[in-house]
Amino acid sequence: MGACGRYNFVVIGSAKTFGQRLIAWYDRSRRDLPWRVDRTADPTVLPDPYHVFVSEAMLQQTQVATVVSYFHRFIERFPTLRSLAEADEQDVLRLWQGLGYYSRARNLRAAALRVMSDFDGELPRTVVELLTLPGVGRYTAGAISSIAFGNRSPIVDGNVARVVCRIDKIMADPRERTTAELLWARAEQILPHERLGDFNSALMELGATVCIPRLPQCLICPVNAHCEAFAAGVAQQIPPPKVAKLSPLEKRWTFIVRAGDRFLVEQRPATGRWASLWQFVTMPADDGDAAARLQKAIGLPVSAMRAMGEVTHALTHRRYEFTVFTCEVHQSDVPSRTWVTLAELDCLPLSRPQLKVAQMAHSLQVDITPI
Ligand code: SF4
């Protein structure tokens, strides 16, 4: 029991019983996921730290159901931290294709390199050391330290924040900084003395499967006897709904430029959004003549230009709209750009919107005649 700000931290009943009930439920009900270990013989066995590291990177901003198949493919291709450190970045990005937020893949490989050089190839165990790795923040460090090494490290992700807010009937927005700090303090306070990784995993699992954003399943919740929001009948009001805000829209033109069975592509800069991925010729849209802008950009006359449609893509803070055109040219060298067949294109890492453009290009190939 303790106090922080204007909230009294009281787990109704006892904190010990709360932890015991939560872990007992986790043992019975947890989802069978490939980065978790089979506990049938020994409930205290810990998972492979590298598997935890890869899964935590993939799970940021991405649903579990999406991650599972990516995780299998990734571990099959890069079974060890060393194999990831020795991998070509383009191969790593190619395997990440479609998961989005590609900086996670680049950081994962960069972190593997750092572990090889600074930690003798062994993933560090403490939050302080883990925080020195590229792309590892407070949540990921806590998750690896507790889940893979059993350390007393709290974690707060979206699921944990929602569960803790409801258990303590915290009505404030968990996205606000002061509330977030309060939740980190609370997440540390409620840690039990054993099975720390399981306790953290159980909190996340409860948030993902029972204490869900809308319509929390309070009647079957293993810790409803400890929940202030349930007792007060306000679970659905916590956390307060996000104020809908339309993110800025960026408009782009993307050109499927083809010469016979070859398509003109370019690699994006090494920094920024979709860094180092490949794309069809893409530029900011304006009110001008798309064909003229393209001709100027590639230095070739174009013919048979027509619009094919639009591809939209929404990220957390930005929306994109790509107007896609196709046109034909005679194949010539184009500085900073490369001609590829569609089979070759399929081996290059592309962002999700460019994958959709590639599908449009595949549909064109059906009626390709040499020009
Ligand atoms: Fe969430 Fe309801 Fe369980 Fe409370 S009782 S933790 S609100 S599911």
Side-chain angles (χ1 to χ4, degrees), residues 163 166-167 206 210-212 216-218 221-224 227 229-230 235:
V163 172
R166 286 171 173 170
I167 291 286
L206 190 76
V210 176
C211 193
I212 49 182
Q217 311 290 297
C218 300
C221 175
V223 289
N224 57 13
C227 180
F230 177 52

Side-chain angles (χ1 to χ4, degrees), residues 280-314:
F280 291 87
V281 179
T282 298
M283 60 185 70
D286 63 20
D287 295 332
D289 180 347
R293 288 263 318 274
L294 174 65
Q295 286 186 165
K296 191 172 174 199
I298 65 175
L300 292 174
V302 306
S303 61
M305 172 84 92
R306 68 181 167 94
M308 289 194 72
E310 279 171 357
V311 169
T312 56
H313 188 69

